[in-house]
Short mmCIF file of all heavy atoms in Angstrom, two decimals:
data_model
loop_
_atom_site.label_atom_id
_atom_site.label_comp_id
_atom_site.label_asym_id
_atom_site.label_seq_id
_atom_site.Cartn_x
_atom_site.Cartn_y
_atom_site.Cartn_z
N GLU C 122 90.21 94.48 113.43
CA GLU C 122 89.03 94.31 112.60
C GLU C 122 89.12 95.04 111.36
O GLU C 122 88.76 94.48 110.25
CB GLU C 122 87.71 94.86 113.44
CG GLU C 122 87.37 93.85 114.53
CD GLU C 122 86.44 94.45 115.46
OE1 GLU C 122 85.97 95.59 115.27
OE2 GLU C 122 86.03 93.63 116.37
N ALA C 123 89.39 96.25 111.35
CA ALA C 123 89.48 97.02 110.15
C ALA C 123 90.41 96.38 109.05
O ALA C 123 90.16 96.26 107.97
CB ALA C 123 89.90 98.48 110.44
N LEU C 124 91.61 95.96 109.53
CA LEU C 124 92.53 95.35 108.53
C LEU C 124 92.04 94.10 108.10
O LEU C 124 92.20 93.64 106.97
CB LEU C 124 93.90 95.13 109.28
CG LEU C 124 94.80 96.42 109.49
CD1 LEU C 124 96.01 96.01 110.24
CD2 LEU C 124 95.14 97.02 108.10
N GLU C 125 91.30 93.29 108.92
CA GLU C 125 90.74 92.03 108.37
C GLU C 125 89.70 92.31 107.43
O GLU C 125 89.60 91.63 106.30
CB GLU C 125 90.23 91.24 109.52
CG GLU C 125 91.01 89.95 109.82
CD GLU C 125 91.11 89.62 111.25
OE1 GLU C 125 90.06 89.71 111.98
OE2 GLU C 125 92.14 89.16 111.65
N ILE C 126 88.92 93.31 107.54
CA ILE C 126 87.84 93.65 106.47
C ILE C 126 88.39 93.75 105.24
O ILE C 126 88.04 93.37 104.10
CB ILE C 126 86.99 94.84 107.03
CG1 ILE C 126 86.07 94.46 108.25
CG2 ILE C 126 86.14 95.33 105.86
CD1 ILE C 126 85.40 95.67 108.85
N VAL C 127 89.49 94.67 105.24
CA VAL C 127 90.07 94.93 103.83
C VAL C 127 91.11 93.89 103.47
O VAL C 127 91.79 94.10 102.39
CB VAL C 127 90.83 96.35 103.87
CG1 VAL C 127 89.79 97.35 104.26
CG2 VAL C 127 92.01 96.40 104.80
N GLY C 128 91.28 92.90 104.21
CA GLY C 128 92.25 91.79 103.80
C GLY C 128 93.63 92.17 103.91
O GLY C 128 94.53 91.82 103.15
N ALA C 129 94.01 92.97 104.98
CA ALA C 129 95.39 93.38 105.02
C ALA C 129 96.04 93.16 106.34
O ALA C 129 97.02 93.82 106.75
CB ALA C 129 95.51 94.94 104.77
N ALA C 130 95.39 92.22 107.10
CA ALA C 130 95.85 91.96 108.37
C ALA C 130 97.29 91.57 108.35
O ALA C 130 98.16 91.88 109.45
CB ALA C 130 94.92 90.76 109.04
N SER C 131 97.83 90.85 107.44
CA SER C 131 99.27 90.47 107.40
C SER C 131 100.14 91.43 107.23
O SER C 131 101.45 91.43 107.44
CB SER C 131 99.51 89.39 106.37
OG SER C 131 99.27 89.93 105.14
N LEU C 132 99.71 92.67 106.87
CA LEU C 132 100.64 93.78 106.63
C LEU C 132 100.81 94.60 107.88
O LEU C 132 101.60 95.74 107.81
CB LEU C 132 100.08 94.69 105.53
CG LEU C 132 99.65 94.04 104.22
CD1 LEU C 132 98.99 95.06 103.22
CD2 LEU C 132 100.87 93.48 103.58
N ILE C 133 100.34 94.21 108.99
CA ILE C 133 100.19 95.20 110.13
C ILE C 133 101.44 95.84 110.60
O ILE C 133 101.45 97.02 110.97
CB ILE C 133 99.46 94.32 111.36
CG1 ILE C 133 99.16 95.39 112.45
CG2 ILE C 133 100.34 93.38 111.89
CD1 ILE C 133 98.12 94.88 113.38
N HIS C 134 102.49 95.22 110.49
CA HIS C 134 103.83 95.77 110.94
C HIS C 134 104.66 96.39 109.86
O HIS C 134 105.76 96.81 110.20
CB HIS C 134 104.61 94.74 111.79
CG HIS C 134 103.88 94.23 113.10
ND1 HIS C 134 103.50 95.21 114.04
CD2 HIS C 134 103.46 93.09 113.43
CE1 HIS C 134 102.97 94.53 115.04
NE2 HIS C 134 102.93 93.14 114.60
N ARG C 135 104.13 96.38 108.63
CA ARG C 135 105.05 96.84 107.54
C ARG C 135 104.99 98.36 107.55
O ARG C 135 103.99 99.00 107.90
CB ARG C 135 104.34 96.48 106.32
CG ARG C 135 104.78 94.98 106.10
CD ARG C 135 105.76 94.64 105.13
NE ARG C 135 105.21 93.55 104.42
CZ ARG C 135 105.13 93.55 103.07
NH1 ARG C 135 105.29 94.66 102.32
NH2 ARG C 135 104.59 92.54 102.45
N PRO C 136 106.06 99.07 107.07
CA PRO C 136 106.00 100.53 106.87
C PRO C 136 105.15 100.69 105.60
O PRO C 136 105.30 99.98 104.63
CB PRO C 136 107.33 100.93 106.84
CG PRO C 136 108.22 99.62 106.45
CD PRO C 136 107.30 98.61 106.91
N PRO C 137 104.38 101.79 105.51
CA PRO C 137 103.52 101.97 104.32
C PRO C 137 104.34 102.17 103.00
O PRO C 137 103.74 101.91 101.92
CB PRO C 137 102.82 103.34 104.62
CG PRO C 137 103.39 103.86 105.83
CD PRO C 137 104.21 102.77 106.51
N TYR C 138 105.60 102.66 103.15
CA TYR C 138 106.31 102.89 101.80
C TYR C 138 106.68 101.55 101.17
O TYR C 138 107.14 101.49 100.06
CB TYR C 138 107.51 103.75 101.99
CG TYR C 138 108.37 103.36 103.07
CD1 TYR C 138 109.36 102.48 102.99
CD2 TYR C 138 108.38 104.16 104.30
CE1 TYR C 138 110.27 102.02 104.00
CE2 TYR C 138 109.17 103.72 105.35
CZ TYR C 138 110.09 102.75 105.22
OH TYR C 138 110.90 102.44 106.26
N LYS C 139 106.49 100.42 101.83
CA LYS C 139 106.84 99.27 101.31
C LYS C 139 105.64 98.44 100.84
O LYS C 139 105.70 97.27 100.53
CB LYS C 139 107.54 98.32 102.36
CG LYS C 139 108.93 98.69 102.54
CD LYS C 139 109.72 97.57 103.26
CE LYS C 139 111.19 98.02 103.62
NZ LYS C 139 111.70 97.24 104.70
N LEU C 140 104.50 99.17 100.59
CA LEU C 140 103.24 98.34 100.22
C LEU C 140 103.06 98.74 98.64
O LEU C 140 103.49 99.72 98.18
CB LEU C 140 102.14 98.97 100.98
CG LEU C 140 102.07 98.78 102.40
CD1 LEU C 140 100.89 99.43 103.00
CD2 LEU C 140 102.33 97.45 102.90
N SER C 141 102.38 97.74 98.02
CA SER C 141 101.97 97.97 96.60
C SER C 141 100.91 98.89 96.65
O SER C 141 100.23 99.17 97.57
CB SER C 141 101.61 96.67 96.06
OG SER C 141 100.44 96.25 96.47
N GLY C 142 100.52 99.45 95.41
CA GLY C 142 99.40 100.30 95.21
C GLY C 142 98.11 99.80 95.76
O GLY C 142 97.48 100.52 96.51
N GLY C 143 97.77 98.54 95.49
CA GLY C 143 96.53 98.01 95.99
C GLY C 143 96.61 97.80 97.54
O GLY C 143 95.57 97.99 98.12
N GLN C 144 97.76 97.39 98.05
CA GLN C 144 97.77 97.30 99.46
C GLN C 144 97.62 98.62 100.21
O GLN C 144 96.95 98.74 101.23
CB GLN C 144 99.19 96.72 99.87
CG GLN C 144 99.27 95.12 99.53
CD GLN C 144 100.67 94.69 99.70
OE1 GLN C 144 101.68 95.46 99.56
NE2 GLN C 144 100.78 93.49 99.81
N LYS C 145 98.26 99.63 99.54
CA LYS C 145 98.12 100.95 100.12
C LYS C 145 96.72 101.52 100.27
O LYS C 145 96.20 102.07 101.11
CB LYS C 145 98.96 101.93 99.42
CG LYS C 145 100.35 102.09 99.65
CD LYS C 145 100.99 103.26 98.85
CE LYS C 145 102.58 103.18 99.05
NZ LYS C 145 103.27 104.09 98.21
N ARG C 146 96.09 101.11 99.10
CA ARG C 146 94.58 101.59 99.05
C ARG C 146 93.73 100.84 100.17
O ARG C 146 93.05 101.44 100.86
CB ARG C 146 93.97 101.21 97.61
CG ARG C 146 92.62 101.68 97.35
CD ARG C 146 92.54 103.14 97.40
NE ARG C 146 93.29 103.82 96.26
CZ ARG C 146 93.55 105.00 96.26
NH1 ARG C 146 93.18 105.87 97.18
NH2 ARG C 146 94.36 105.44 95.23
N ALA C 147 93.94 99.53 100.15
CA ALA C 147 93.32 98.76 101.21
C ALA C 147 93.60 99.26 102.62
O ALA C 147 92.58 99.55 103.42
CB ALA C 147 93.64 97.36 101.21
N VAL C 148 94.80 99.61 102.91
CA VAL C 148 95.06 100.06 104.28
C VAL C 148 94.46 101.48 104.47
O VAL C 148 94.01 101.75 105.52
CB VAL C 148 96.70 100.19 104.43
CG1 VAL C 148 97.07 100.74 105.84
CG2 VAL C 148 97.19 98.70 104.47
N SER C 149 94.56 102.34 103.52
CA SER C 149 93.85 103.68 103.54
C SER C 149 92.40 103.42 103.89
O SER C 149 91.89 104.23 104.82
CB SER C 149 93.96 104.27 102.17
OG SER C 149 95.14 104.54 101.78
N ILE C 150 91.84 102.56 103.37
CA ILE C 150 90.41 102.27 103.74
C ILE C 150 90.32 101.82 105.17
O ILE C 150 89.45 102.24 105.96
CB ILE C 150 89.84 101.29 102.73
CG1 ILE C 150 89.73 101.93 101.33
CG2 ILE C 150 88.33 100.94 103.15
CD1 ILE C 150 89.30 100.96 100.18
N ALA C 151 91.17 101.06 105.49
CA ALA C 151 91.21 100.45 106.92
C ALA C 151 91.44 101.63 107.92
O ALA C 151 90.83 101.66 108.99
CB ALA C 151 92.30 99.47 107.12
N THR C 152 92.19 102.68 107.46
CA THR C 152 92.44 103.80 108.43
C THR C 152 91.13 104.60 108.78
O THR C 152 91.07 105.08 109.85
CB THR C 152 93.47 104.72 107.93
OG1 THR C 152 92.94 105.42 106.66
CG2 THR C 152 94.86 104.08 107.71
N VAL C 153 90.21 104.51 107.77
CA VAL C 153 88.96 105.20 108.23
C VAL C 153 87.99 104.31 108.84
O VAL C 153 87.12 104.53 109.62
CB VAL C 153 88.39 105.93 107.03
CG1 VAL C 153 89.37 107.07 106.51
CG2 VAL C 153 87.85 105.05 105.90
N LEU C 154 87.94 102.94 108.33
CA LEU C 154 87.03 102.00 108.89
C LEU C 154 87.22 101.88 110.46
O LEU C 154 86.31 101.71 111.17
CB LEU C 154 87.23 100.61 108.23
CG LEU C 154 86.81 100.47 106.82
CD1 LEU C 154 86.98 99.08 106.34
CD2 LEU C 154 85.34 100.94 106.60
N SER C 155 88.42 101.96 110.94
CA SER C 155 88.74 101.85 112.25
C SER C 155 88.00 102.95 113.27
O SER C 155 88.01 102.70 114.39
CB SER C 155 90.24 101.88 112.58
OG SER C 155 90.77 103.14 112.23
N MET C 156 87.54 103.97 112.47
CA MET C 156 86.87 105.05 113.33
C MET C 156 85.46 104.73 113.27
O MET C 156 84.62 105.54 113.77
CB MET C 156 87.14 106.32 112.73
CG MET C 156 88.69 106.69 112.87
SD MET C 156 88.93 108.45 112.53
CE MET C 156 88.23 109.24 113.97
N LEU C 157 85.00 103.67 112.72
CA LEU C 157 83.45 103.23 112.60
C LEU C 157 82.74 104.36 112.18
O LEU C 157 81.75 104.86 112.76
CB LEU C 157 83.02 102.78 113.95
CG LEU C 157 83.82 101.67 114.62
CD1 LEU C 157 83.12 101.33 115.94
CD2 LEU C 157 83.91 100.44 113.71
N PRO C 158 82.97 104.99 110.94
CA PRO C 158 82.19 106.15 110.41
C PRO C 158 80.85 105.61 109.87
O PRO C 158 80.68 104.40 109.63
CB PRO C 158 82.97 106.55 109.25
CG PRO C 158 83.71 105.39 108.75
CD PRO C 158 84.03 104.48 109.95
N ASP C 159 79.87 106.52 109.75
CA ASP C 159 78.54 106.19 109.15
C ASP C 159 78.72 106.41 107.62
O ASP C 159 77.99 105.81 106.84
CB ASP C 159 77.48 107.16 109.72
CG ASP C 159 77.49 107.00 111.24
OD1 ASP C 159 77.49 105.89 111.72
OD2 ASP C 159 77.52 108.07 111.87
N VAL C 160 79.56 107.35 107.21
CA VAL C 160 79.64 107.66 105.79
C VAL C 160 81.07 107.48 105.42
O VAL C 160 82.01 107.79 106.03
CB VAL C 160 79.30 109.09 105.60
CG1 VAL C 160 79.22 109.50 104.20
CG2 VAL C 160 77.86 109.36 106.27
N LEU C 161 81.16 106.83 104.14
CA LEU C 161 82.44 106.75 103.61
C LEU C 161 82.62 107.56 102.28
O LEU C 161 81.77 107.43 101.48
CB LEU C 161 82.69 105.21 103.16
CG LEU C 161 83.23 104.22 104.15
CD1 LEU C 161 83.40 102.86 103.44
CD2 LEU C 161 84.52 104.71 104.73
N ILE C 162 83.71 108.33 102.39
CA ILE C 162 83.92 109.23 101.20
C ILE C 162 85.21 108.80 100.47
O ILE C 162 86.25 108.70 101.14
CB ILE C 162 83.94 110.63 101.56
CG1 ILE C 162 82.45 111.07 102.00
CG2 ILE C 162 84.36 111.54 100.49
CD1 ILE C 162 82.29 112.45 102.51
N MET C 163 85.11 108.62 99.14
CA MET C 163 86.50 108.21 98.46
C MET C 163 86.68 108.96 97.21
O MET C 163 85.77 109.19 96.39
CB MET C 163 86.42 106.75 98.12
CG MET C 163 86.08 105.80 99.34
SD MET C 163 86.46 104.25 98.90
CE MET C 163 85.90 103.48 100.36
N ASP C 164 87.90 109.39 97.20
CA ASP C 164 88.36 110.16 95.93
C ASP C 164 89.13 109.34 94.98
O ASP C 164 90.29 108.87 95.14
CB ASP C 164 89.09 111.42 96.38
CG ASP C 164 89.05 112.53 95.35
OD1 ASP C 164 88.72 112.20 94.16
OD2 ASP C 164 89.55 113.62 95.66
N GLU C 165 88.65 108.97 93.93
CA GLU C 165 89.17 108.13 92.79
C GLU C 165 89.89 106.95 93.45
O GLU C 165 91.10 106.76 93.34
CB GLU C 165 90.15 108.91 92.02
CG GLU C 165 89.62 110.20 91.57
CD GLU C 165 90.12 110.93 90.26
OE1 GLU C 165 91.01 110.33 89.75
OE2 GLU C 165 89.75 111.92 90.03
#
Side-chain angles (χ1 to χ4, degrees):
Chain C
E122 279 170 4
L124 284 174
E125 250 145 39
I126 292 173
V127 301
S131 63
L132 305 175
I133 190 161
H134 294 303
R135 291 255 221 118
Y138 50 80
K139 281 196 189 157
L140 304 180
S141 72
Q144 290 171 332
K145 277 187 190 170
R146 185 66 62 196
V148 174
S149 298
I150 295 173
T152 63
V153 303
L154 289 183
S155 63
M156 298 192 68
L157 307 181
D159 303 310
V160 181
L161 275 181
I162 290 180
M163 303 196 186
D164 202 348
E165 309 202 10

